[in-house]
Amino acid sequence: MSLPCGATIGILGDGQLGRMLASAAARLGFRTVSFGPGGEHSPAAQVTGRHFAAGYEDVAALKAFAETCDTVTVEFENVPVSAAEAVIAAGTPFHPGPNALSVAQDRAMEKRFLEEAGILCAPWRLVDSLADLEAAHAALGPDAILKTRREGYDGKGQVRLSAGSDLAAAWREIGERACVLEGFVDFALETSAIVARGTDGGVAVYPPSQNLHEGGILRRSMVPAPISVETEQRAQALAVRLAEQLDYIGVLALEFFVMQDGRLLANEFAPRVHNSGHWTPEACATGQFENHIRAVAGWPLGETALLYNAEMENLIGEAAGAPVADLLSRGSLTLYGKREIRPGRKMGHLVRIRPL
Ligand code: AMP
């Protein structure tokens, strides 16, 4: 089904991704409504026509929200699956679908899904106890990362282990929660492939970027990535395969470690538009936000070929506190409308483009 111009798209989540999705939707003539606990000052609530300020467990509010929308999507992968189910129960289509959310919300399910799709991951083990951690560390260590299965993002919910690490202390630090232990991977660089898949199964895939993280948070993405065309095409093909296996509608991002020998190991995927694709509106004919909106609206997808070299720089914490004239002189500026600067908080980003 293809939505008519003027239809209403609901966004579960109220952060900056929702804000940028709503802006792209507005450009195509859609109305938008957001839902989330952040309140009227949240980044998305400031730009959507209506905002439902409620928790994701509030079934009555979810029903009222869904009834105002022609279709609903997400901007935040940790929206509980029950919230997606409440939207569907109200009779409103929901993309990308609860299955993609539930797989992405649990690192163990995610890795199993990826491996079953033939997408290699870094070596990993399930950890449900200190004894599991000791056995896993003996098998995969000494350099490894303990990650919570749920609710980790931007390097949160992770403890780095090395030779001589106190495993009992690490297990306490992580909160004695269901985890996975991952072998630490000595990658050459990190990349991500972002793909849009439409209701007709058609796909549009962006050129993979090189992603630089610091402290588990993305700092910069650059395109083209310094990888061979063959590696680039492999990353894109794996992202397409994942979208197909999930019967996905919308944009998803698959993050990889690129090994010295060119092997690609998947780190994780995000069932949503992604920070490593924030350069796409400036550097491609169709940005990731517009393609996500087109996909969930049942519209044809837009061109994703690279028109410029691009570099995206996140403005994190105090970096956004520079005089606005300085920020504007450094590239195309996007600010997320967050009132309070906090360490580690993504406040905005800059994109610089150069002719290819
Ligand atoms: P994550 O939250 O799992 O995406 O991890 C954030 C960042 O930490 C990644 O983008 C990598 O830079 C680093 N990292 C995570 N897992 C590993 C690993 N198994 N080996 C090496 N670096 C990792």
Side-chain angles (χ1 to χ4, degrees):
M1 190 196 69
S2 166
L3 289 185
C5 212
T8 301
I9 298 179
I11 300 169
L12 277 175
D14 51 20
Q16 62 264 21
L17 301 178
R19 182 183 180 98
M20 292 183 274
L21 284 169
S23 304
R27 219 177 123 237
L28 296 178
F30 294 112
R31 294 169 181 270
T32 51
V33 178
S34 52
F35 185 108
E40 59 177 324
H41 297 298
S42 62
Q46 293 170 28
V47 304
T48 47
R50 187 168 172 199
H51 178 67
F52 286 74
Y56 299 116
E57 319 295 341
D58 186 338
V59 175
L62 285 163
K63 183 168 185 286
F65 161 73
E67 284 170 352
T68 67
C69 301
D70 296 296
T71 194
V72 168
T73 188
V74 284
E75 63 103 50
F76 171 55
E77 73 268 37
N78 285 325
V79 167
V81 171
S82 59
E85 286 166 350
V87 167
I88 294 166
T92 307
F94 172 80
H95 299 302
N99 183 42
L101 282 186
S102 82
V103 173
Q105 283 172 3
D106 178 334
R107 285 191 193 271
M109 272 176 73
E110 181 181 32
K111 289 174 191 300
R112 281 194 201 111
F113 194 94
L114 288 165
E115 288 174 344
E116 275 164 23
I119 302 171
L120 298 177
C121 298
W124 67 283
R125 295 275 193 287
L126 271 182
V127 171
D128 289 316
S129 64
L130 177 56
D132 286 350
L133 176 58
E134 286 163 352
H137 191 242
L140 304 178
D143 292 318
I145 307 188
L146 184 61
K147 300 182 178 179
T148 56
R149 280 176 65 169
R150 296 186 158 272
E151 283 159 13
Y153 65 95
D154 282 352
K156 295 189 177 74
Q158 301 191 3
V159 179
R160 178 87 161 80
L161 303 177
S162 52
S165 286
D166 180 341
L167 299 183
W171 181 236
R172 277 195 305 277
E173 188 182 337
I174 206 87
E176 304 187 2
R177 284 186 290 164
C179 283
V180 297
L181 186 74
E182 272 180 44
F184 194 78
V185 166
D186 188 19
F187 54 78
L189 57 92
E190 290 183 87
T191 188
S192 52
I194 296 177
V195 60
R197 185 166 181 270
T199 46
D200 62 355
V203 293
V205 53
Y206 290 94
S209 56
Q210 177 181 6
N211 303 325
L212 298 179
H213 293 83
E214 283 168 34
I217 304 182
L218 182 69
R219 295 281 154 169
R220 279 171 205 277
S221 289
M222 283 95 68
V223 270
I227 52 179
S228 67
V229 171
E230 188 271 323
T231 306
E232 202 171 289
Q233 288 173 347
R234 225 168 347 112
Q236 291 176 314
L238 292 174
V240 169
R241 189 190 300 173
L242 175 62
E244 285 171 349
Q245 297 280 317
L246 287 166
D247 198 15
Y248 194 89
I249 292 169
V251 163
L252 75 71
L254 178 54
E255 295 182 51
F256 295 100
F257 302 122
V258 185
M259 306 304 287
Q260 301 289 351
D261 60 8
R263 260 181 319 139
L264 289 170
L265 299 181
N267 176 22
E268 60 184 2
F269 75 89
R272 53 170 170 77
V273 288
H274 197 247
N275 194 171
S276 68
H278 285 5
W279 49 272
T280 56
E282 282 86 355
C284 302
T286 322
Q288 62 165 347
F289 306 103
E290 177 171 336
N291 257 339
H292 184 78
I293 294 297
R294 289 193 192 204
V296 302
W299 285 22
L301 300 176
E303 270 294 318
T304 51
L306 193 65
L307 305 177
Y308 299 95
N309 292 297
E311 176 174 351
M312 188 282 308
E313 176 189 347
N314 269 338
L315 296 171
I316 298 171
E318 277 308 323
V324 81
D326 287 4
L327 296 177
L328 287 167
S329 71
R330 285 166 46 202
S332 164
L333 177 65
T334 301
L335 292 172
Y336 305 150
K338 297 181 184 177
R339 293 198 295 186
E340 195 192 331
I341 292 182
R342 288 199 292 264
R345 193 175 199 202
K346 291 176 178 168
M347 305 298 297
H349 64 266
L350 289 164
V351 176
R352 287 179 282 279
I353 55 173
R354 279 181 293 112
L356 281 176

